Amino acid sequence: MQKFFTNVRIVIVTASLLFLGGVTLQNLAAAQTAKPQEDKEPAVKKLKVLFLCTGNSCRSQMAEGFARALKGDVIEAYSAGVSPHGKNPHAVAVMKEVGIDISNQESQDIRDLMHIPLDYVVAVCSNAEESCPVLPGSVEHVRHLFDDPPKLAKEVEGEKEKLDCYRRVRDEIKAYVLTLPESLEKEVVPAEKSTIVQKESKRTYTNKRPARLFQRIRRAR
C-alpha cells in the first residue's frame, strides 16, 4: 500500500513539473516574440503640401488626389487656387479612370487656408505662382509647371482627343507626385530667382474677408 501511494505521489509531482515547465516555456516564447514598448518606431511627421493653380479646378486637384492616394503616409495634401471656380468634370473623369475619386475634393481659395502651417506650396501653373499671396510661417515655394488641359483641349476636336489632353497631363502629374517628398527640397525656388518677391504690400485687400497683406509682384526680367 505504501508503495502504491509513493507511486501516486511520483506521478502527481511529475505531472506538476511538466505543467509548470510548459507554462514557463510558453511565457518565455511570448516574451521573446513580444516587442518592448520603447522599440516602436516613432510616427512619421507628414509634410503639409499644398498644390496651387489659378482656378483649383484641374491640375492642382489631380495633384492633390494623387498625393492623397499614393503618398498619404508621408504627405498631408491640399490644393487651392488664387481664383477658384469649381472642379473640371473632365479632370474628375480621367482621375476616375485610374481609380482615384476626386469628386469630393473642394475647389478652395488659398486665402481660406492661411491657418494651415504649410511646409510647401507647389505652384503647378505660372499665373498662380505670380498671384500667390504671402503665406504665414516658413513655407517653402516650389515651381513645377504643367500644361493647361482645358487650353490644350480647345486646340483639338473630338471628345476622345480632348480627354487625351487631360490624360497626358494627368500621367505627368502622377509621375511627379511619385517623386515626392524627396524632390521637394531640391526644387525649392530661391528668393533671388523666384518670380515672386515676397514683400508685404502697402495695400490691403478685404474682398469680404479679413484684411490680409498681399505680396508685391515683380516679373523676372
Side-chain angles (χ1 to χ4, degrees), residues 92-166:
V92 176
V94 298
M95 288 296 287
K96 195 171 184 179
E97 290 177 353
V98 294
I100 299 177
D101 183 7
I102 63 172
S103 61
N104 291 325
Q105 293 178 190
E106 297 181 13
S107 183
Q108 305 177 95
D109 192 310
I110 191 172
R111 299 166 190 83
D112 294 330
L113 302 180
M114 292 285 197
H115 61 285
I116 299 174
L118 297 169
D119 296 297
Y120 292 91
V121 170
V122 181
V124 295
C125 77
S126 57
N127 181 63
E129 180 189 27
E130 295 165 359
S131 305
C132 180
V134 171
L135 299 173
S138 56
V139 60
E140 300 280 12
H141 287 262
V142 172
R143 185 175 189 264
H144 199 101
L145 310 184
F146 297 94
D147 289 334
D148 183 14
K151 184 177 180 180
L152 295 174
K154 288 180 179 179
E155 300 175 0
V156 298
E157 295 183 1
E159 187 64 18
K160 179 184 179 301
E161 289 73 13
K162 291 181 183 296
L163 283 176
D164 283 343
C165 297
Y166 288 83

Side-chain angles (χ1 to χ4, degrees), residues 34-41:
K35 292 184 178 180
Q37 188 72 19
E38 58 270 18
D39 287 347
K40 288 186 177 180
E41 294 183 2

Side-chain angles (χ1 to χ4, degrees), residues 9-23:
R9 283 197 296 271
I10 292 173
V11 171
I12 293 173
V13 170
T14 302
S16 299
L17 290 174
L18 289 173
F19 174 76
L20 292 174
V23 172

Side-chain angles (χ1 to χ4, degrees), residues 23-66:
V23 172
T24 303
L25 289 174
Q26 289 178 356
N27 292 342
L28 180 61
Q32 289 176 341
T33 56
K35 292 184 178 180
Q37 188 72 19
E38 58 270 18
D39 287 347
K40 288 186 177 180
E41 294 183 2
V44 176
K45 179 183 178 295
K46 294 184 180 182
L47 291 174
K48 291 181 171 60
V49 180
L50 182 142
F51 299 95
L52 181 69
C53 66
T54 303
N56 191 212
S57 64
C58 187
R59 287 165 287 183
S60 56
Q61 290 282 352
M62 290 194 285
E64 178 187 355
F66 276 125

